[in-house]
Amino acid sequence: MAARALTCTLTLLVWAGVSLGQLVLPSRQNGAVGGNVEFKPISSPADTYQVITWRFGENIVIRSISGAVSIPRPEYRGRVSLDINTLALELRNLTMGDTGVYTLIADTAASSYTAETTLKVFVNVSGATITGPTGLVIEGNSANLSCDASGTIVTTEWMKNNQKLSPSNNIIFSADNRSVSISAVGRMDSGEYRCTLSNPVSSDSDVFTMTVNYGPDNVRIEGPSEVEERGSVMLLCSAESVPDPRYAWTFNGTNTGVTTDSLTMDQVTFSNSGTYTCTAWNNVTRRETSASHSLVVREIGSLSGGVGSLSAGAIAGIVIGVLLGVALVAGLIVYFTKFAGRPKSSSRGVKQNGATQNGGEHELNYADIRHFQNNQSVLNMGGTSTQTRQGTPAMVRAHRGANQGAKPEAEVTYSEVRK
Ligand SMILES: *[C@@H]1O[C@H](CO)[C@@H](O)[C@H](O)[C@H]1NC(C)=O
Ligand SMILES: *[C@@H]1O[C@H](CO)[C@@H](O)[C@H](O)[C@H]1NC(C)=O
Ligand SMILES: *[C@@H]1O[C@H](CO)[C@@H](O)[C@H](O)[C@H]1NC(C)=O
Ligand SMILES: *[C@@H]1O[C@H](CO)[C@@H](O)[C@H](O)[C@H]1NC(C)=O
Ligand SMILES: *[C@@H]1O[C@H](CO)[C@@H](O)[C@H](O)[C@H]1NC(C)=O
Ligand SMILES: *[C@@H]1O[C@H](CO)[C@@H](O)[C@H](O)[C@H]1NC(C)=O
């Protein structure tokens, strides 16, 4: 209420001043050290004045008597001027000492008018610098950022990745906002910090990129758990870590000498069965984390029958496996009885295509099916089965289901085999 009343009064005064021919100046103005400012009346009641005087406190800055301008004080000589038509005072090469109240007195023959304005001079903000952690920042440690600059600093603002940074559970601002203290840095605190220091006439900013080092966490090995003899295997180790970790692989506890994130083996033998352990080491956090993976090398052909695609406890899978085995045996019997001795041209293709996956057994199955199907004619593996033979559609569906669920690459390989 009080504020509104005041605004109302001021509005009325300004309106009255303008309409009744009062002398009015802007109430406040800002300037920069070394810069210039002009005080110019918003309204002026007369066209000409006999005496125009600008004062700073008690001191006369500049005075005009019937057009004759004088600057009594030496500190203003060379840096002030008066426009006798508009009454405007220009003040150049400002210093901090120029901050204060300026009064304009303008006299006509009949009356005297007075107006006031307040100047605030700021030193331009320059050389903003963020001081951040000098060493490496490790997750869980504390980190402080502080911002400084020369000049008159009125406001301080922090941004992180171009978003306003606000106090939170672990981010505390100092009373003047010049320092930010992160009590326990998390990996999410990595980013580009910008501080902007400003005053009404200038601002400056600096950026600091903070990288939070962490990990390795969630070390995982991806790869098959079973492979046929003479097949090939790739195990891929991954970890959440900054910086990227160094990897080391052991086999049954013995160093393999492999220091990349992947370990590949071609032409595996039974002696490759065992436990593969990947250790990820972060040289900044000085932490290491390991993950292990068991690999079993099986005899060629022993992974047939859908064993590999069986998910633990999947009763449906067991049923499918049984059906498949029966169908396969039936197919092989038909094949060997009727077409024994024919070269298995597609088997080579299967081995090449299936070489890098543990789904190899599926390609073998498909190859077998293909021979079987070719000779019985009509099979559409990609779409609806037009097969009429008992047992075979179930087998086909089972395979398709198993591969779509777990090993889609097996199906791709299959279509290559079919060509
Ligand atoms: C102060 O900063 C303002 C705005 O950045 C600029 O226009 C002015 O030239 C600066 N003055 C001096 C004296 O550096
Ligand atoms: C501005 O003022 C400073 C001292 O306050 C003086 O050294 C400098 O020469 C002045 N510059 C100009 C352009 O008058
Ligand atoms: C950060 O500031 C807080 C409080 O000012 C202090 O306790 C802490 O030790 C500082 N941390 C670092 C890394 O300087
Ligand atoms: C510090 O910043 C907050 C906003 O983050 C603001 O509300 C507060 O007024 C600032 N304090 C000072 C002293 O500038
Ligand atoms: C590796 O360990 C597994 C399991 O203990 C064992 O069966 C296998 O023989 C070992 N292989 C080698 C080469 O030591
Ligand atoms: C960590 O290792 C990288 C190279 O892998 C090296 O550039 C960096 O200086 C190392 N850092 C530390 C703290 O040892």
Tab-separated table of all heavy atoms in Angstrom, residues 205-238:
chain	number	residue	atom	x	y	z
A	205	SER	N	33.105	-12.169	-17.285
A	205	SER	CA	32.879	-13.536	-16.826
A	205	SER	C	34.054	-14.429	-17.175
A	205	SER	O	34.911	-14.071	-17.989
A	205	SER	CB	31.581	-14.090	-17.425
A	205	SER	OG	31.709	-14.203	-18.807
A	206	ASP	N	34.082	-15.569	-16.516
A	206	ASP	CA	35.133	-16.554	-16.763
A	206	ASP	C	34.492	-17.934	-16.701
A	206	ASP	O	33.423	-18.096	-16.093
A	206	ASP	CB	36.236	-16.424	-15.701
A	206	ASP	CG	37.470	-17.264	-16.033
A	206	ASP	OD1	37.723	-17.513	-17.239
A	206	ASP	OD2	38.180	-17.675	-15.103
A	207	VAL	N	35.124	-18.891	-17.349
A	207	VAL	CA	34.607	-20.262	-17.284
A	207	VAL	C	35.676	-21.192	-16.734
A	207	VAL	O	36.868	-20.945	-16.877
A	207	VAL	CB	34.125	-20.795	-18.673
A	207	VAL	CG1	32.944	-20.008	-19.162
A	207	VAL	CG2	35.247	-20.800	-19.672
A	208	PHE	N	35.180	-22.231	-16.096
A	208	PHE	CA	36.062	-23.242	-15.517
A	208	PHE	C	35.411	-24.596	-15.803
A	208	PHE	O	34.238	-24.801	-15.499
A	208	PHE	CB	36.195	-23.029	-14.001
A	208	PHE	CG	37.126	-23.992	-13.326
A	208	PHE	CD1	38.476	-23.695	-13.174
A	208	PHE	CD2	36.659	-25.205	-12.832
A	208	PHE	CE1	39.343	-24.587	-12.554
A	208	PHE	CE2	37.520	-26.104	-12.211
A	208	PHE	CZ	38.861	-25.791	-12.070
A	209	THR	N	36.159	-25.452	-16.420
A	209	THR	CA	35.610	-26.777	-16.718
A	209	THR	C	36.078	-27.753	-15.652
A	209	THR	O	37.280	-27.913	-15.446
A	209	THR	CB	36.048	-27.243	-18.120
A	209	THR	OG1	35.605	-26.267	-19.055
A	209	THR	CG2	35.457	-28.593	-18.463
A	210	MET	N	35.113	-28.316	-14.977
A	210	MET	CA	35.454	-29.256	-13.910
A	210	MET	C	35.125	-30.677	-14.369
A	210	MET	O	34.017	-30.959	-14.802
A	210	MET	CB	34.692	-28.934	-12.620
A	210	MET	CG	35.149	-29.801	-11.459
A	210	MET	SD	34.678	-29.138	-9.861
A	210	MET	CE	32.991	-29.688	-9.777
A	211	THR	N	36.116	-31.514	-14.292
A	211	THR	CA	35.928	-32.926	-14.634
A	211	THR	C	36.007	-33.732	-13.353
A	211	THR	O	37.001	-33.655	-12.639
A	211	THR	CB	37.033	-33.378	-15.611
A	211	THR	OG1	36.985	-32.539	-16.759
A	211	THR	CG2	36.834	-34.821	-16.025
A	212	VAL	N	34.940	-34.432	-13.076
A	212	VAL	CA	34.914	-35.274	-11.874
A	212	VAL	C	35.333	-36.688	-12.287
A	212	VAL	O	34.732	-37.288	-13.174
A	212	VAL	CB	33.511	-35.289	-11.229
A	212	VAL	CG1	33.487	-36.209	-10.016
A	212	VAL	CG2	33.087	-33.872	-10.854
A	213	ASN	N	36.377	-37.162	-11.673
A	213	ASN	CA	36.876	-38.504	-11.980
A	213	ASN	C	36.188	-39.517	-11.080
A	213	ASN	O	35.996	-39.258	-9.884
A	213	ASN	CB	38.388	-38.541	-11.761
A	213	ASN	CG	39.107	-37.589	-12.705
A	213	ASN	OD1	39.335	-37.917	-13.863
A	213	ASN	ND2	39.426	-36.396	-12.220
A	214	TYR	N	35.829	-40.644	-11.658
A	214	TYR	CA	35.146	-41.671	-10.864
A	214	TYR	C	35.331	-43.043	-11.487
A	214	TYR	O	35.797	-43.169	-12.621
A	214	TYR	CB	33.651	-41.349	-10.754
A	214	TYR	CG	32.927	-41.321	-12.076
A	214	TYR	CD1	32.373	-42.495	-12.616
A	214	TYR	CD2	32.815	-40.153	-12.801
A	214	TYR	CE1	31.720	-42.470	-13.827
A	214	TYR	CE2	32.164	-40.122	-14.016
A	214	TYR	CZ	31.616	-41.287	-14.519
A	214	TYR	OH	30.972	-41.263	-15.740
A	215	GLY	N	34.935	-44.029	-10.711
A	215	GLY	CA	34.923	-45.399	-11.219
A	215	GLY	C	36.278	-46.075	-11.064
A	215	GLY	O	37.164	-45.549	-10.400
A	216	PRO	N	36.461	-47.240	-11.680
A	216	PRO	CA	35.460	-47.908	-12.533
A	216	PRO	C	34.327	-48.550	-11.724
A	216	PRO	O	34.578	-49.190	-10.728
A	216	PRO	CB	36.275	-48.979	-13.257
A	216	PRO	CG	37.475	-49.202	-12.413
A	216	PRO	CD	37.720	-47.978	-11.605
A	217	ASP	N	33.107	-48.311	-12.223
A	217	ASP	CA	31.923	-48.938	-11.649
A	217	ASP	C	31.269	-49.796	-12.729
A	217	ASP	O	31.521	-49.580	-13.911
A	217	ASP	CB	30.903	-47.867	-11.217
A	217	ASP	CG	31.427	-47.015	-10.068
A	217	ASP	OD1	32.308	-47.488	-9.338
A	217	ASP	OD2	30.943	-45.879	-9.936
A	218	ASN	N	30.410	-50.695	-12.280
A	218	ASN	CA	29.635	-51.529	-13.204
A	218	ASN	C	30.504	-52.203	-14.262
A	218	ASN	O	30.216	-52.119	-15.448
A	218	ASN	CB	28.557	-50.695	-13.892
A	218	ASN	CG	27.357	-50.514	-13.005
A	218	ASN	OD1	27.047	-51.388	-12.190
A	218	ASN	ND2	26.705	-49.381	-13.146
A	219	VAL	N	31.560	-52.823	-13.832
A	219	VAL	CA	32.403	-53.542	-14.788
A	219	VAL	C	31.637	-54.791	-15.230
A	219	VAL	O	31.093	-55.521	-14.399
A	219	VAL	CB	33.761	-53.918	-14.156
A	219	VAL	CG1	34.605	-54.726	-15.123
A	219	VAL	CG2	34.485	-52.651	-13.733
A	220	ARG	N	31.539	-54.952	-16.543
A	220	ARG	CA	30.750	-56.068	-17.079
A	220	ARG	C	31.484	-56.694	-18.246
A	220	ARG	O	32.178	-56.002	-18.989
A	220	ARG	CB	29.390	-55.570	-17.586
A	220	ARG	CG	28.458	-55.089	-16.490
A	220	ARG	CD	27.054	-54.899	-17.032
A	220	ARG	NE	27.049	-54.033	-18.203
A	220	ARG	CZ	26.287	-54.220	-19.261
A	220	ARG	NH1	25.466	-55.240	-19.329
A	220	ARG	NH2	26.345	-53.370	-20.265
A	221	ILE	N	31.293	-57.996	-18.412
A	221	ILE	CA	31.830	-58.678	-19.591
A	221	ILE	C	30.655	-59.186	-20.402
A	221	ILE	O	29.740	-59.822	-19.864
A	221	ILE	CB	32.739	-59.864	-19.200
A	221	ILE	CG1	33.949	-59.360	-18.406
A	221	ILE	CG2	33.177	-60.634	-20.439
A	221	ILE	CD1	34.832	-60.476	-17.870
A	222	GLU	N	30.675	-58.876	-21.678
A	222	GLU	CA	29.653	-59.412	-22.570
A	222	GLU	C	30.306	-60.400	-23.511
A	222	GLU	O	31.404	-60.147	-24.012
A	222	GLU	CB	29.023	-58.284	-23.395
A	222	GLU	CG	27.959	-57.530	-22.637
A	222	GLU	CD	27.482	-56.355	-23.465
A	222	GLU	OE1	26.839	-56.596	-24.508
A	222	GLU	OE2	27.796	-55.224	-23.070
A	223	GLY	N	29.622	-61.503	-23.747
A	223	GLY	CA	30.151	-62.505	-24.665
A	223	GLY	C	29.467	-63.820	-24.401
A	223	GLY	O	28.731	-63.965	-23.417
A	224	PRO	N	29.716	-64.788	-25.271
A	224	PRO	CA	29.053	-66.083	-25.116
A	224	PRO	C	29.632	-66.844	-23.928
A	224	PRO	O	30.778	-66.623	-23.537
A	224	PRO	CB	29.367	-66.801	-26.423
A	224	PRO	CG	30.652	-66.193	-26.873
A	224	PRO	CD	30.609	-64.759	-26.442
A	225	SER	N	28.840	-67.732	-23.369
A	225	SER	CA	29.354	-68.552	-22.278
A	225	SER	C	29.748	-69.948	-22.786
A	225	SER	O	30.412	-70.681	-22.082
A	225	SER	CB	28.309	-68.666	-21.167
A	225	SER	OG	27.083	-69.053	-21.734
A	226	GLU	N	29.319	-70.230	-24.014
A	226	GLU	CA	29.693	-71.519	-24.599
A	226	GLU	C	30.110	-71.296	-26.037
A	226	GLU	O	29.566	-70.410	-26.710
A	226	GLU	CB	28.512	-72.494	-24.580
A	226	GLU	CG	28.085	-72.879	-23.178
A	226	GLU	CD	27.028	-73.976	-23.213
A	226	GLU	OE1	26.277	-74.040	-24.209
A	226	GLU	OE2	26.972	-74.754	-22.256
A	227	VAL	N	31.053	-72.079	-26.469
A	227	VAL	CA	31.510	-71.965	-27.856
A	227	VAL	C	31.947	-73.351	-28.299
A	227	VAL	O	32.380	-74.169	-27.485
A	227	VAL	CB	32.664	-70.936	-27.980
A	227	VAL	CG1	33.885	-71.369	-27.186
A	227	VAL	CG2	33.036	-70.696	-29.441
A	228	GLU	N	31.795	-73.602	-29.589
A	228	GLU	CA	32.256	-74.895	-30.100
A	228	GLU	C	33.734	-74.839	-30.414
A	228	GLU	O	34.255	-73.783	-30.785
A	228	GLU	CB	31.483	-75.261	-31.370
A	228	GLU	CG	30.072	-75.720	-31.040
A	228	GLU	CD	29.329	-76.224	-32.263
A	228	GLU	OE1	29.867	-76.068	-33.386
A	228	GLU	OE2	28.231	-76.765	-32.097
A	229	GLU	N	34.374	-75.955	-30.271
A	229	GLU	CA	35.792	-76.074	-30.586
A	229	GLU	C	36.051	-75.529	-31.999
A	229	GLU	O	35.234	-75.736	-32.902
A	229	GLU	CB	36.182	-77.552	-30.525
A	229	GLU	CG	37.657	-77.790	-30.482
A	229	GLU	CD	37.982	-79.270	-30.654
A	229	GLU	OE1	37.045	-80.052	-30.863
A	229	GLU	OE2	39.172	-79.590	-30.581
A	230	ARG	N	37.135	-74.820	-32.139
A	230	ARG	CA	37.576	-74.194	-33.397
A	230	ARG	C	36.726	-72.983	-33.801
A	230	ARG	O	36.963	-72.378	-34.831
A	230	ARG	CB	37.645	-75.208	-34.553
A	230	ARG	CG	38.910	-76.082	-34.415
A	230	ARG	CD	39.161	-76.898	-35.653
A	230	ARG	NE	38.567	-78.209	-35.596
A	230	ARG	CZ	37.907	-78.777	-36.596
A	230	ARG	NH1	37.764	-78.137	-37.735
A	230	ARG	NH2	37.405	-79.969	-36.450
A	231	GLY	N	35.757	-72.628	-32.953
A	231	GLY	CA	35.010	-71.397	-33.198
A	231	GLY	C	35.833	-70.222	-32.689
A	231	GLY	O	36.960	-70.396	-32.219
A	232	SER	N	35.260	-69.040	-32.796
A	232	SER	CA	35.973	-67.905	-32.235
A	232	SER	C	35.058	-67.164	-31.271
A	232	SER	O	33.838	-67.275	-31.332
A	232	SER	CB	36.508	-66.982	-33.328
A	232	SER	OG	35.435	-66.455	-34.041
A	233	VAL	N	35.668	-66.423	-30.387
A	233	VAL	CA	34.952	-65.789	-29.281
A	233	VAL	C	35.467	-64.374	-29.115
A	233	VAL	O	36.665	-64.133	-29.250
A	233	VAL	CB	35.226	-66.543	-27.953
A	233	VAL	CG1	34.493	-65.872	-26.798
A	233	VAL	CG2	34.821	-67.991	-28.051
A	234	MET	N	34.546	-63.466	-28.845
A	234	MET	CA	34.989	-62.148	-28.420
A	234	MET	C	34.306	-61.822	-27.097
A	234	MET	O	33.091	-61.901	-26.979
A	234	MET	CB	34.650	-61.071	-29.436
A	234	MET	CG	35.197	-59.730	-28.965
A	234	MET	SD	34.981	-58.389	-30.135
A	234	MET	CE	33.370	-57.835	-29.694
A	235	LEU	N	35.107	-61.462	-26.116
A	235	LEU	CA	34.582	-61.000	-24.828
A	235	LEU	C	34.850	-59.499	-24.766
A	235	LEU	O	35.957	-59.051	-25.068
A	235	LEU	CB	35.289	-61.711	-23.670
A	235	LEU	CG	35.178	-63.245	-23.653
A	235	LEU	CD1	35.961	-63.814	-22.482
A	235	LEU	CD2	33.718	-63.696	-23.611
A	236	LEU	N	33.803	-58.748	-24.408
A	236	LEU	CA	33.943	-57.299	-24.363
A	236	LEU	C	33.718	-56.818	-22.939
A	236	LEU	O	32.703	-57.120	-22.328
A	236	LEU	CB	32.935	-56.649	-25.320
A	236	LEU	CG	33.044	-55.138	-25.462
A	236	LEU	CD1	34.368	-54.758	-26.110
A	236	LEU	CD2	31.878	-54.625	-26.303
A	237	CYS	N	34.690	-56.083	-22.445
A	237	CYS	CA	34.611	-55.589	-21.067
A	237	CYS	C	34.234	-54.112	-21.092
A	237	CYS	O	34.753	-53.349	-21.909
A	237	CYS	CB	35.974	-55.770	-20.395
A	237	CYS	SG	35.967	-55.399	-18.633
A	238	SER	N	33.318	-53.707	-20.231
A	238	SER	CA	32.949	-52.290	-20.171
A	238	SER	C	32.890	-51.851	-18.714
A	238	SER	O	32.699	-52.656	-17.812
A	238	SER	CB	31.602	-52.058	-20.854
A	238	SER	OG	30.601	-52.780	-20.178
